[in-house]
Amino acid sequence: MSRQSLIKLFLVILALMPYELVMAQTGLPAISVTRGAGGSETYTLSIQVLALMTALTFIPAALMMMTSFTRIIIVLSILRQALGLMQAPSSQTLIGLSLFLTFFIMAPVFEKIYQTAVQPYMEEKLDFKGAIDKASEPLKTFMLGQTRENDISMFARISGKKDIESPQQVPMSILLPAFVTSELKTAFQIGFLLFIPFLIIDLVVSSVLMSMGMMMLSPMIISLPFKIMLFVLVDGWNIVMGTLASSFYV
């Protein structure tokens, strides 16, 4: 990924941070707020720097909970467990693979956020609150497309909000936990389907060893090369990566 793309991604994630972080006015006497016409507000540089430094701590959580990262890392972890490989690929490899696949999947969303929110804000065509509202629209559309209605209904019922008439009226406070719940469900469903063929190989090998009286020999030692061979012959990485990427565009 080029340096320019990384800078764009960094700016996009910063734009997604909740603007309430810059609304606090107590305990910071150096902060001044200038009110303009039409109710607009302009903050001093100090509070902008404070908001920027605070927002940096939310970047990992935003990346994991508001993108496709959660589904990808869970599926890859289940795949490694199904193959019987405890350390290969390593956790660092899986995280890196999940991260760059997330960039690939979320590229259209990030690009739209950059064009409609980050760039106008940097050109001073939008204020901070307007940039946040614009940035949340494509991200909210993506999250709604991956979230089950029953998950949204559950969190809406728990929060006591009964005035939601359309998906676009769902607030982020409800959409975010519903999105994460749906992602966990989808990840485990894909992981279950991946686990079945490898489980069958383990059962067959175990039955053969039992019939031959080789009960002291671990079935995993014998089944591991067969599972790896099966995964390689069917071009497993191509299938898994293609399935994960296409699952967000169906």
Side-chain angles (χ1 to χ4, degrees), residues 70-214:
T70 302
R71 182 189 305 185
I72 297 170
I73 190 62
I74 291 177
V75 171
L76 294 182
S77 299
I78 293 176
L79 174 62
R80 183 176 64 178
Q81 184 71 25
L83 285 169
L85 301 172
M86 298 297 103
Q87 300 297 329
S90 64
S91 298
Q92 292 83 354
T93 302
L94 292 184
I95 292 175
L97 184 60
S98 302
L99 187 61
F100 283 101
L101 190 57
T102 298
F103 290 157
F104 171 78
I105 294 171
M106 300 296 297
V109 179
F110 288 154
E111 186 67 26
K112 190 172 183 180
I113 292 174
Y114 182 80
Q115 293 176 355
T116 60
V118 178
Q119 192 170 11
Y121 176 71
M122 295 175 63
E123 296 174 353
E124 298 183 355
K125 296 179 180 179
L126 288 176
D127 58 4
F128 191 79
K129 184 178 182 300
I132 291 295
D133 293 337
K134 287 290 185 180
S136 63
E137 291 176 2
L139 185 65
K140 189 174 182 180
T141 300
F142 170 81
M143 296 172 67
L144 283 171
Q146 309 300 322
T147 307
R148 294 173 172 82
E149 292 184 4
N150 59 335
D151 293 328
I152 296 178
S153 301
M154 178 186 68
F155 286 102
R157 184 176 64 255
I158 293 174
S159 64
K161 295 184 179 295
K162 300 180 181 179
D163 55 345
I164 300 176
E165 299 179 356
S166 65
Q168 297 302 325
Q169 295 180 353
V170 178
M172 291 296 290
S173 59
I174 294 178
L175 180 58
L176 184 55
F179 171 75
V180 175
T181 304
S182 294
E183 286 294 281
L184 291 174
K185 291 180 181 178
T186 304
F188 275 90
Q189 288 174 353
I190 298 175
F192 171 76
L193 296 177
L194 286 174
F195 216 107
I196 291 178
F198 302 112
L199 179 61
I200 293 176
I201 293 177
D202 286 332
L203 291 174
V204 171
V205 171
S206 179
S207 300
V208 172
L209 291 178
M210 288 286 291
S211 63
M212 297 175 63
M214 304 173 67

